[in-house]
Structure formats: structure tokens, C-alpha cells
Amino acid sequence: MENRFARFHPLVSFFFYAGSVSLLILMLHPIFLGLALVIILLLNFFHDRLSGLWRWKFFLITTFILMIILNPLFNERGRHLLFEVGTHRVTLEAVVFGGMNALSIIGVIALFVSYNVIMTPNKLLFLFAKILPQFAVLLMLTLRFIPLMRRRLEEISVVQRSKGISVSHGKWKRRVRTGMLYVQTLLTYSLEEAIQTADSMKARGYGMSTRSSYEYFKFRRADVLAIIYLVILLSLIIYCRAFGYGFLTVYPVMEAWQLTHLDIGALTSYLMFLSFPLFVEAGGLFRWRLSN
Amino acid sequence: MAFIELTNVTFTYPDCSAPAINNLSLKINKGEFVVLFGASGSGKSTLLKLLKKEIQPHGQLMGQIVIDGQPVQETEGLANEIGFVFQDPENQLVADDVLHEMVFGLENIGLPPTEMRSRVAEMVHFFGAESLLARKSHQLSGGKKQQINLASVLLMQPIILILDEPTAQLDPVSTREFLDMLKRLNDEFGMTIILAEHRLEEVFTLADQIIMMENGQVQIEGEPKAVIPKIWNSVNRDYVPSIPGLFLSMNGEGSVPLTVKEGRSWVQKALADVYDEEEQVSTPLLDDVRIRAKSISFRYEKKADFILKELDLSLKKGEFYALLGGNGSGKSTFLKLMAGLLKPDIGKVLYDKKPLNGYKHHELTKRIGYLPQNPKLFFLQDTVEKEIQETMAQWELADASEADSLLAQLGIAHVKTSHPYDLSGGELQKAALACLLLRKPEVLLLDEPTKGLDPISKRRLAEILLELHAAGMTIFMSTHDIEFAAQYATKCGMMFQGNITSEDIPKKFFKGNFFYTTMIQRIFRDFAEKAPMTLEEVKRQCASTKL
Amino acid sequence: MRFNKTVKTVLLLLLASIFLVLNFWFENAYLWLSFGFVLLSILLFLVRFESRKVEPRELVLLAVLASIAAVGRIPFASIPSVQPTTFVIMMSGYVFGAESGFVIGAVAALASNMIMGQGPWTPWQMTAWGLVGLTAGLLRGTWVMNKKWGRILFGAVWGFLFGWIMNIWGFLAVVQSGSGVGFKAFLLYFASSAVFDTFHSVSNVILLLVFGDVWLKILTRFKRKYGLLE
């Protein structure tokens, strides 16, 4: 399915992800985090049917379990004793706190999985070109060189194997030496060749005047509206957060989980912020239905 | 005043006593197509780079270079007026995908996006490259990469286009395509083109002016037809393509034929009865099979298409086998499979009737010498000498004098202490060959050994290979070079879509072909049953009929 | 041009101050604080890099080194626990200076993550490798780094430092918001990564011992060839 959110200006996407990550690590409250995770899963589902997330499953699960266990293991603070292992107190506070952190971290990682689908290297490059043009060129060159270097390494290893030199045969010491000789050959060879790359840049006028950029991404009305929407919501949430709402105090005494009015206000804004891409997809789907 | 004018230009690189360009004067008119050639080290590249301010090498420059009435040294650099395309298609690319590559120059000169877009649209249309725009640059073939480089330069709308051996790394079909593009630019847009190139047969018909350089000086210059006899009588005789070569070696009269068409009409008049010759008795081959591929199939990744499909081949002892075929037909892959560097997915490769995986790694390497397409990656050490020492240590060889005599035999004794990357293409290849030959392999596998070599180095390579072959070496090479295969191989094979579709001794092999055959054969095709294929054959026949 | 630069500086300062004010507001949001801090300092370095006009040759050189650092581990796929990335960045920083060193490290991390997939670790990796290059460049010319043993010591230390920097965000995630995780946990957390760090450190030492001098020679040769001698 076509991805409507991906068609927004990169700045919008970038702002959304930066904001979402900040929210996930700032708004430590079980209800907030739980709902956020649901939304992020939906987001991933819409973007790539969870296939990206599936690749991270092992990492996500271990992180989750580790974080839940780790906190109660080291932390005996809290009033509500759940049980004791030997002399070690396992408290409700510790478990809740560990759980919140676990949710927050895997939420962030899941968000990055979606980020990797939406923010293609081109978009990031485009953003960099706007604020750091010289660095953007460096990044572009590096991105172009990485696959080249990989292919060259592969070639080096084939050619060297034909000479009887290989990293998979022989003693450990010999293999390390050979591997490093491969990298060294890659270095000398590539630096030798790259002079021509620099000449070709110069020949095409690099550094003569301020670079412009072939605009792929126009800032359209929809982008303006999106930015306004996101900025307003984010400011609201941060305002609430600064006064202690949308945040569960666990230590020294755990608050009740109940939400005050302002908490609910923050939660609503929070969910509206995170669901922004979902709204976009849903709107697109709706319009598509209408036109058919 | 000429459009481009060089007067008494002398250029010396730092730390060099002899000048690279020596008191050179030259005039080029607007709209001309000029071809520059000469052996490596004759100063071609230096001369071309001097014409473009931005990439002038460091060193001492004397004399005057004037372009369009403006001395080059005094300009700020004319990025968009002079376009420059370099030799290696890969090295010029700066972006990960084609579109970014194309607009790189335009971004540099700060062109507004709307204008960029219309220029790109136009250029993409001219090149018919719509389907390439979204591709990653590293997925393209060498020929396509070079076209993108050209497009990127052309987008800046240059008046002069300078190209430094742009087709040296390309196969014949891509070369043709690329040169046709240049011809269009020259014909239809009046662009002034200066091209360094050593495959003269391709460019003779395009050029208005041909310049031969030697030791930083212009040796010969003029129109193609006038220049060829002069080249024939110079040290660079090898550069003369086969059709004019035939003409000149027969002491033909009248104007020099350049194309097959001209060649045929000349042959009809002058050589009407020289081509009836008895079939040459080829040296009998030993019937022992050295390497045998038994219906092998191979693909690089699961789910990908097979590159080789149920391929069968027998390489007999003492054969000199040339495998021809288009780009991407799987020649290089097959060579790697024969050397045991890749394993077939289905089928097996036998060496002396024993499967390759029955050999230990070093046993196999000892027997099979593999010369890669890019010999630069062969060297791990920083001098040729160290590489040789390392090889001798690896194979427990003690006799250092043997290595020295081998280097002398190959004619590269003088580069022993040099860094491999400081050698010319031909020298580098020979140095790699020397390292291979040290371990005395029984079979040599060569991947496109003639690629990028100038005609003189090519002839030296042929002599070396023939010598080895005469001494009993089994040789298998992949090549695009039809003339080379026809002249030296004992057997030719054609690779097509992952299979060998035909193989035979060169004479029979090329006789059946219409497109894929030598220039000489094309000239003589309809005249006789046993049309000669190479210049040597014609000469031999003529000698025998005259006697 | 000039205007553009001022705007950028002002924006950067604004960003930094917003960030500080927010931190003052939030209690104990260490993780957020650290992320913001790391990102801002990377940005600061890059803006600095932007202020100097870098010639194409140097730019290409930096890109080659960064990409080699990024793919350098491939030949060692069958040899666990050896990887030359840190070594490459360190040598580059040592030969080409602190700023180049930082940029090479940061770009290597950023670009390889752009291909492999970004994660919350990206800024930390950029910082860690950037600092390897930066410190190697800053310390060149000092008597420690002029000695071979000094460089080896440097590599050994960075094997651990690198691991620690990469651990910080994980650790902060655990301790954030006033939980009372103590010093003991801190030690344990870092000890758990000590095995990896030791391998990293040992691999740096080995590579520096065997290849340090050769690489120094090669890189210096190219420094001259690219015309980058100051």
C-alpha cells in the first residue's frame, strides 16, 4: 500500500519522530506508555506490515525482559513489598518502574524501525543539505563509497584466495594479519583512485559558489498545517509535563495511577501527536474510498 | 585565431627533471572532433588537464593556453564551459543514485531548482535514461555509469567536451554506444570534442583531426586518412587498425580505406585472387582433459536468477581457449568457478578428472594461476619485489635468481622496487603474471587480460602468452577482443545467457558469425569459402601466391 | 551567505537554551538530558566543520576513510572480536588532525547506521567514534603519542572508553527519574560489558602493534599526495 505519511516534507517526518522519541522518554506513566506502544505498533503495521519489527523481535524481547528484571534486582526501595527472595525485597515500585522503562525503550526502538522506513537516506541528506551543506556532501560521498568499498573488499578476497591467501584458513594470528592486509589494500587502492573522484568534483564546479539543491521536497500547505498541528500539541504536552502532569512519581512513594483532568488533557494531546501518521493514512484511505 | 590555441607550452611536474609536456603548440577550431593518442606516458592526460583550470596538476607551466580568446591561467575556471569526462566510470561517481549524480554539477553552480528540473528532463530524454533515474549508481554496468558521467557533465551545457580515455574500461558494445553519443553531440550541437583514445578503429570515422603524441610533443597531426600512413611508418604501427593495416602492408594505392565498405571495394580491385589457400594444419592437441565443467549451474544469491545454466566445457591440456561473449553473460563468474573460487550450486568442476573439492586449497592454487581483471587488487605488498618475496615464502621457493630472470623475460626488471600502483596498466599486469608464474601453475585463467591495454602492450602480452603456450601451458581467457582471440587462440567459445552456445577453432568459429567476427573476415566474407580472418593470414597467403 | 551564517548560529543558540530551560523544568530526566546534550555537541562540531571551506580532495579523503572504517569489519566476520573500525579512525585522527578525526568517526557511524538502520544508539556511536578521532588528533605531537607504546596505550584505553560511552544511555535508561539504583549496580552494569571491552581493547592493541607503523606511513604518504600538509 502506498504510504501517505512518507509523502510529507522530510522536516515534518523528522519533527514527528524527534518529538515522539522525546515524549516516550519523558512521559513515564504506565497508561501513557502502554497506549503509545499500541499506536506505534499500528504505525509499523501500516508502514510495512510489521516486517521491520519482526527482524528486531529477539532484541526487543530480551531488552524488555532484562529491563523489567534488572530494576527490582538492584532496587529495594518502595513501600509495597511483593515478596522476598532471601533477604532481597522485591517491591511493587521497583517492578512498575522497571516496566515503565522497558516500555519506553522498546517503544523508542519500535519508533526507530518506523523511522527507517519513512526517513530514507535521501530525505536525511536533504535536511542536512539545508543546514550543513558541506557535511551533507561528505555524507553523500560516504554513502556512495560504502557499497563500493564492500564490493572492492569482496573482489580483494576473491583475488587473494586465488593466490592461496585467505582469512578462513590457517592460524588465528595469520588470519587476523590477512584480514588487516585486505583492509590495508582497500585503503591504498581507494585513496589512489579517489583522487579522480575529487578531480571530477572540481571539474563539475564544486566549491565555486554556494550549492543549491535539486528540490524534491516542496513545503506545501499540508506540510505547514502538519507542523502547526504537531507544534501546538507538543507545546501543550511539554507545558503539562513541566508541571508534573503525565508523569508517575514512583519514588519514594508511588502515586496512584489515576489521571487528573490535566493528565487527561496531556494524554489526549499525547495520543493525538503520536497518531498523526495514522490519521494521515486513515484520511487517505477515506478519500480513496470516496473517489471510488 | 583558433578556438583553442596552445603556444610553446611546457609543463614539468614537481620532483621531475624531464617535462611532461615539451614545447607543444596546437590549434583546434570550434566544432572540431579531435582524437589524441599515444603510448601511456606520452603526456595525453597532462595535456587534457592543462586545458581545464580547475584540475590543472601542480607543477611548472610555461607558454600560453588560450581558449576562446581568453588565456586559461587568467580565468577563474570555467566549470560550465569545459566539460571533462575521466577514464574510470566508477571513480567519477559521487552520489549513491543516478539522479543526484546527474544534478551534482548543477547544484555546484547554484542553479535554481526549476531550471535544474527542465535541464534534467531534457537530458534524460536525450539519453533515453528515464528508467535509470531512480536506480542506485552501483547497480549500473560500466557503460551506463560512463553515460551518466557524460550526462552529468553535459547538463552544465559545456561548449568544449574533453574526454580522457572514457571507453578504456568499457566493452565493445558500450564503447560503440558511447562514441555514437559523442558523434551526435558533435554533429547535432557543434560541440568541440577532444578525446584521448587508443582504439583507433572506433574513432577514425568520427574524427576531424588526429594527433599522435610522444614524449610530451605532437608527433603527427592531421586528417585521419592523411595521418594513417605516417603512423604506419612510426614506432606506433600497432595503433593502425586492421583494415588500413591491410591496405598499407599490401602497399595499396589510392586513398586509405577505413571502413569495411571502403575496404571491400579496395579489395575487389586490388586483391582479387589472393585468398585461396589450403586450410592450415593446426597443431594437434593432446586429448587429455585438464579442466572439465559438468553441467554446472550457479547463482550469487538464493532466489536470484541463475547466471550459469547447466554449462558444460572441457579444457584440454595445451589449449589456448578464448571465451567470448557480451557483458553480463557470465564469463567472469565461470572463470572463478573454474579456479575454485566459487562453488557451483549444481554440477561439478573436475581438474584432471578429480572434483575440485577433492583438492586441498593450496593444491588447487598451486596448479591454477588466476589473473584478475583488475590486477591492482592482486598486490598486498607495497613494492613488486616484496610481493615476489612474499610469494616465494608462501610457496617455499628458494631460488631468487629465477624470479629475476622471470622479470627480465617479461621485460619489467626495472620496476622491481616500484609501488605496484605506480606502474602502467601493462607493467602491472606483467608483474602480477610474474607472481603467478613463480609457483609454476599448469593452467592460466585470465579474466579480460586485454582490457584497457594500448596496442603495444597488447602485442607484448600476446607474445608472452604464445611463449607460455608453446612451453605447454594450458591457457583459458575471457575476452571482448575478437581480433585478439582470432589471432592467438587455438579455440574460441561463445558464452550466451549462462551457457556456451558454440565453440570451435577460430577459423570455423568466426566463419559462421555475421556480426561477431573480425574486420578482415568481414571484408573477405563473400569472396571465398575460406576467407582469411587476420592480417597475418592475408599476408601469408599473398606471400605464397606470389612465390 | 553572511546572513545565513548568523541565522544558523542564532538558531543553534536558541535550540541550546530551550533545551537547558526544559531540563531545568523537568526533574531528573537524565536520559532526555543526555540525548539532548550529545546531539547538541555533535551539531556544534558539525557547524564548526561547516565554517571552514574544505577542498574536494580533503572531502573525498575523509569520505574514503569513513567508509573504510564502516566496512572494515567485513573481512573479520569469521574472526570474532576483532574489528578495525576504531583503529582506522584513530590512525586517521592522528594523521589528519582532531577535527578531521571527529568528522570521520561521526560520519562513519551515521552513514553505516543510515544503511543498516538507525536506532537510539546512533548519536552515541557518533560521539564515541568521533571522540576517538578527536582525541587522537588532539594528542598528536604530545610526547605520549609520539611513542609507539603511547599510541598502543591510547588504543587500549579507548577499547574500554568506547564501551563505557555506549553503555551510558542504557544505564541512564535504568537509573532515570530518581530511582535509587546505587553504585553497585553501576559497577555491575559496566562490568557486564567489560568482556567485550577487553576484546575491543586487545584487538586495538594487536592492530596497532602490527599495523600501526605501516598505516602511519601510508596515510602520511597520501596526506602529501593530496596536498594536505599544513
Side-chain angles (χ1 to χ4, degrees), chain A residues 22 56 74 77 97 101 116 131 133-135 138 142 145 150 172 175 180 184 191-192 194 206-207 242, chain C residues 8 25 32 49-50 52-54 59-60 67 74 78 87 103 107 118 121 173 176 180 188 211 225-226:
Chain A
S22 307
W56 287 94
F74 288 108
R77 291 172 69 190
F97 191 77
N101 276 326
N116 288 325
I131 46 167
Q134 188 163 270
F135 180 74
L138 176 62
T142 312
F145 282 152
R150 221 181 261 166
W172 187 85
R175 284 163 61 191
M180 203 53 203
Q184 188 179 309
L191 284 178
E192 200 76 47
Y206 179 78
Chain C
K8 270 179 206 164
W25 256 3
W32 200 80
F49 175 71
E50 211 63 37
R52 178 171 65 96
K53 195 176 160 193
V54 181
L59 218 49
V60 166
S67 56
I74 294 176
S78 67
F87 169 77
V103 171
V107 167
Q118 308 273 15
W121 49 83
Q176 71 173 336
L188 195 99
F211 286 93
K225 195 161 180 176
Y226 275 67

Side-chain angles (χ1 to χ4, degrees), chain A residues 155 158, chain B residues 300 331-343 370 445 447:
Chain A
E155 256 178 82
V158 166
Chain B
Y300 279 99
K331 298 193 301 289
S332 293
T333 309
F334 180 51
L335 239 68
K336 285 175 191 160
L337 280 154
M338 281 175 91
L341 300 172
L342 297 172
K343 308 254 173 294
Y370 168 80
L445 303 177
D447 196 357

Side-chain angles (χ1 to χ4, degrees), chain C residues 40-117:
Chain C
L40 268 177
S41 39
I42 293 174
L43 211 60
L44 214 68
F45 267 106
L46 297 186
V47 168
R48 212 186 102 90
F49 175 71
E50 211 63 37
S51 66
R52 178 171 65 96
K53 195 176 160 193
V54 181
E55 283 294 301
R57 284 205 168 188
E58 189 175 352
L59 218 49
V60 166
L61 178 105
L62 296 178
V64 167
L65 289 168
S67 56
I68 287 179
V71 302
R73 65 173 73 227
I74 294 176
F76 300 91
S78 67
I79 317 169
S81 71
V82 179
Q83 54 99 350
T85 309
T86 310
F87 169 77
V88 174
I89 294 168
M90 186 190 138
M91 295 312 291
S92 310
Y94 184 70
V95 175
F96 297 104
E99 196 194 61
S100 302
F102 182 86
V103 171
I104 289 169
V107 167
L110 180 62
S112 68
N113 280 320
M114 274 167 87
I115 292 171
M116 309 289 283

Side-chain angles (χ1 to χ4, degrees), chain B residues 334-398:
Chain B
F334 180 51
L335 239 68
K336 285 175 191 160
L337 280 154
M338 281 175 91
L341 300 172
L342 297 172
K343 308 254 173 294
D345 292 318
I346 310 167
K348 40 177 127 152
V349 182
L350 309 172
Y351 188 93
D352 283 350
K353 302 193 178 80
K354 192 171 145 192
L356 287 190
N357 48 15
Y359 288 89
K360 280 193 187 128
H361 185 64
H362 68 273
E363 286 176 348
L364 203 61
T365 352
K366 174 102 183 63
R367 290 180 167 83
I368 304 178
Y370 168 80
L371 185 69
Q373 222 178 89
N374 182 357
K376 279 189 180 170
L377 303 179
F378 188 93
F379 296 89
L380 290 182
Q381 308 299 326
D382 57 6
T383 64
V384 176
E385 193 173 24
K386 273 194 208 159
E387 187 71 37
I388 285 175
Q389 281 163 2
E390 212 38 41
T391 315
M392 300 202 22
Q394 190 193 346
W395 298 102
E396 288 160 358
L397 309 167

Side-chain angles (χ1 to χ4, degrees), chain A residues 122 140-141 143-144 147-148 151-152 155-156 158-165 169 174 177 181 185 188-189 192-193 196-197 199-206 208-216, chain B residues 49 52 54-55 79 86 88 90-96 99-101 103-105 107-111 113 116-117 138 152 156 341 361 365 370 372 374 376-380 387 394-395 421 439:
Chain A
N122 266 348
M140 175 179 83
L141 280 170
L143 285 173
R144 182 261 176 291
L148 179 69
R151 212 145 19 91
R152 282 184 179 158
E155 256 178 82
I156 291 172
V158 166
V159 172
Q160 295 305 322
R161 253 187 296 152
S162 84
K163 287 166 63 185
I165 297 172
H169 293 275
R174 177 108 213 138
R177 216 181 94 86
L181 273 178
T185 307
T188 348
Y189 177 66
E192 200 76 47
E193 301 285 302
Q196 219 176 63
T197 314
D199 276 350
S200 114
M201 287 171 74
K202 259 186 154 174
R204 283 184 276 169
Y206 179 78
M208 275 180 51
S209 54
T210 316
R211 269 173 73 80
S212 58
S213 87
Y214 185 90
E215 290 244 10
Y216 300 88
Chain B
K49 282 188 183 164
K52 189 156 169 70
E54 294 91 333
I55 53 170
F86 298 80
D88 192 301
E90 189 79 76
N91 288 343
Q92 296 168 69
L93 297 174
V94 296
D96 193 30
L99 184 62
H100 275 92
E101 186 63 49
V103 299
F104 181 75
E107 291 182 335
N108 288 339
I109 54 174
L111 206 71
M116 253 194 249
R117 253 188 231 127
H138 62 87
S152 177
M156 302 177 76
L341 300 172
H361 185 64
T365 352
Y370 168 80
N374 182 357
K376 279 189 180 170
L377 303 179
F378 188 93
F379 296 89
L380 290 182
E387 187 71 37
Q394 190 193 346
W395 298 102
Y421 297 164
R439 60 175 191 253

Side-chain angles (χ1 to χ4, degrees), chain B residues 480-534:
Chain B
H480 283 298
D481 197 324
I482 294 169
E483 312 280 335
F484 192 87
Q487 214 169 334
Y488 306 112
T490 61
K491 199 174 191 181
C492 293
M494 178 79 176
M495 186 96 151
F496 178 67
Q497 292 199 330
N499 218 321
I500 290 177
T501 48
S502 68
E503 58 171 22
D504 216 321
I505 59 167
K507 198 149 188 159
K508 290 186 183 158
F509 179 83
F510 288 110
K511 210 174 93 184
N513 293 349
F514 190 77
F515 295 108
Y516 223 84
T517 187
T518 63
M519 290 292 178
I520 300 286
Q521 213 259 348
R522 284 190 219 174
I523 287 187
F524 286 101
R525 183 194 316 278
D526 313 323
F527 298 145
E529 268 297 289
K530 296 168 201 131
M533 281 182 337
T534 62

Side-chain angles (χ1 to χ4, degrees), chain A residues 16-49:
Chain A
F16 169 76
Y17 285 109
S20 302
V21 168
S22 307
L23 288 180
L24 274 178
I25 52 181
L26 281 176
M27 313 300 280
L28 288 178
H29 192 292
I31 296 174
F32 278 65
L33 285 167
L35 289 172
L37 202 62
V38 172
I39 292 174
I40 293 169
L41 284 177
L42 272 174
L43 199 62
N44 269 299
F45 178 77
F46 265 103
H47 287 160
D48 63 352
R49 310 274 142 193

